[in-house]
Amino acid sequence: MQDSFDIAIGRCESISGNEVVVELEAAMVSRLVPGHPWHRNGTSKLEVDLALCSRLRPPQAGRETFLSREAILLDPSGRFDLLGDGHYTLVRLQPLAANTEPQPPNPTIKTPWTERPSHRRSRD
């Protein structure tokens, strides 16, 4: 069974009809355009379909926007404005979910305090 969760991508600028405009965090921009020079958060904008947003945390203007990881893995597209100058281009959204596979925690085996090397008494 695959876990489903949401991915935070930036601040919601506006909601209009079935579209949401998000001011992207720099980390999300680097996923969409690897190697692009860093811009401050909110410079780049992404317009996505409202259906891609989290059902548990629907978008609200001025608040963090969450996308459904499950929906993003279906490889939808959005409109991306890299420089924040109003020039939008189509972009695949699947990279936003890159490296988000849930990792089970590795249990650590702890050595009892008295058995740790620094606490053992030397036997002469």
Side-chain angles (χ1 to χ4, degrees), residues 39-108:
H39 286 283
R40 69 178 173 84
N41 289 338
T43 299
S44 300
K45 299 185 184 201
L46 181 66
E47 188 176 280
V48 298
D49 191 305
L50 185 60
L52 299 174
C53 294
S54 168
R55 290 194 173 119
L56 295 174
R57 296 177 270 203
Q60 297 176 8
R63 312 250 352 233
E64 186 70 30
T65 302
F66 295 87
L67 299 182
S68 164
R69 178 179 177 269
E70 188 174 285
I72 296 303
L73 289 175
L74 296 175
D75 201 21
S77 61
R79 293 179 23 153
F80 180 53
D81 177 4
L82 177 63
L83 302 176
D85 58 4
H87 293 91
Y88 285 86
T89 59
L90 284 178
V91 66
R92 290 294 197 205
L93 300 178
Q94 193 172 37
L96 295 176
N99 301 319
T100 59
E101 188 64 34
Q103 300 294 319
N106 291 331
T108 57

